[in-house]
Structures are given as structure tokens and as C-alpha cells.
Amino acid sequence: MMKKLFIFVFIFLGLNVVNGCPFFLSKYFVNIHSSIHNDNVTLRCQSKDDDLGSHVLSPNNDYEWSFCQSFSRATLFFCHFWWNNNEQIFDVFNSTMGEWCREGRPEGDICRWLVREDGFYFYEPIEYGRWLKQYYWKPVSKTSLTYG
Ligand SMILES: *[C@@H]1O[C@H](CO)[C@@H](O)[C@H](O)[C@H]1NC(C)=O
Ligand SMILES: *[C@@H]1O[C@H](CO)[C@@H](O)[C@H](O)[C@H]1NC(C)=O
């Protein structure tokens, strides 16, 4: 009896944990690429539960992480960006954007952001198939001169 139960539980978990997420949760990647020439961008991304910490993104490089969309679909990540006395803060992933990131990898969908001198672009793969500008940089405010 115990042995059967054990085997059942094992198969259940084994079949459904494909990409590190339980079968009822979707996996997403957030990918942030900087094409700012000759300068680093500092960013700090967070969700309600996770602080990914401060990260230096160098030119033509990517910063990427993945997560399992919570069952309530309430997962939200926001990032604070700093570059050359400019900053910006916005949501890089929420459940609505999740629907717009249908461009996939076998393990999950990717939400792509591009950081440029003139602002921030989101890649919309379905309706437009191109980068759409979403935000401008703004001058650093006195209250947030330090990273974090
Ligand atoms: C960008 O960051 C890298 C790694 O932290 C550092 O080696 C490099 O000097 C930085 N470049 C600039 C332009 O600040
Ligand atoms: C997610 O963000 C987008 C873009 O800012 C916004 O239009 C949408 O209403 C947000 N969705 C949720 C569930 O907050």
C-alpha cells in the first residue's frame, strides 16, 4: 500500500515538473538587453517576494531571470534603472504582459526589454512583431541618488 502510494506520488511529481515549475504554473523569462554605447546601466529588479539585487548591465549584454507565474497570476516584477544621471522605474512583468510575451522557448515564454539612450522598449511578438517604446529616461531625482 505504502509502496504504491510512493510510486504514484513519484510519477505525479516527475511527470509534471517539466521546467522547474509545477504543471499548473507557467514559466517565464524576463530578458533585459542594453544597447547603450560605451556605458553601463545599473538596475535593481524586485517582486513582492524577491529582491534580485543591484546588477550592472554592460553594453550589448543581457540580464535575465526566470520564475514560475504564481497560481493567482499575481506575479509582478519591477525594475529601477540608472544611467548617466538618469533613472526610471516601471513594471517589467505583470500578468497582462505575460499574455503579450508569447514568444517562447521550449521551457517558457520570454518577456523582452531593450534599454537604449532614448528610452525603454518592450518586444511585442504577436500583433506588431517589433520593439515598442514604453518609457523615457528621466533625470535622477534628489531623493534617489544612491542605487537601491
Ligand atoms: C562597466 O562595468 C564593468 C563591470 O562592472 C566594468 O569593468 C567597466 O569598467 C564598466 N564600464 C564603464 C564605462 O563604467
Ligand atoms: C500591466 O502593465 C501594463 C503596462 O503598464 C498595463 O497596461 C496593465 O494594465 C498591467 N496589468 C496589470 C494586471 O496590472
Side-chain angles (χ1 to χ4, degrees), residues 47-98:
S47 70
K48 191 160 62 69
D49 310 314
D50 272 315
D51 183 345
L52 304 181
S54 166
H55 181 85
V56 175
L57 180 56
S58 47
N60 298 315
N61 271 301
D62 291 11
Y63 178 52
E64 185 175 287
W65 72 94
S66 64
F67 57 92
C68 306
Q69 168 75 301
S70 77
F71 192 51
S72 60
R73 300 171 61 78
T75 303
L76 182 149
F77 277 95
F78 63 94
C79 299
H80 197 153
F81 297 82
W82 294 267
W83 164 64
N84 190 24
N85 290 324
N86 295 297
E87 69 176 336
Q88 189 50 281
I89 184 166
F90 58 87
D91 295 346
V92 295
F93 181 89
N94 67 21
S95 58
T96 315
M97 290 180 209

Side-chain angles (χ1 to χ4, degrees), residues 33-51:
H33 181 90
S34 171
S35 67
I36 289 187
H37 301 294
N38 302 319
D39 220 349
N40 290 332
V41 172
T42 301
L43 71 167
R44 181 183 179 190
C45 300
Q46 287 170 268
S47 70
K48 191 160 62 69
D49 310 314
D50 272 315
D51 183 345

Side-chain angles (χ1 to χ4, degrees), residues 83-88 136-142 144-145:
W83 164 64
N84 190 24
N85 290 324
N86 295 297
E87 69 176 336
Q88 189 50 281
Y136 289 93
W137 287 100
K138 56 182 193 187
V140 168
S141 65
K142 284 203 183 72
S144 62
L145 276 173

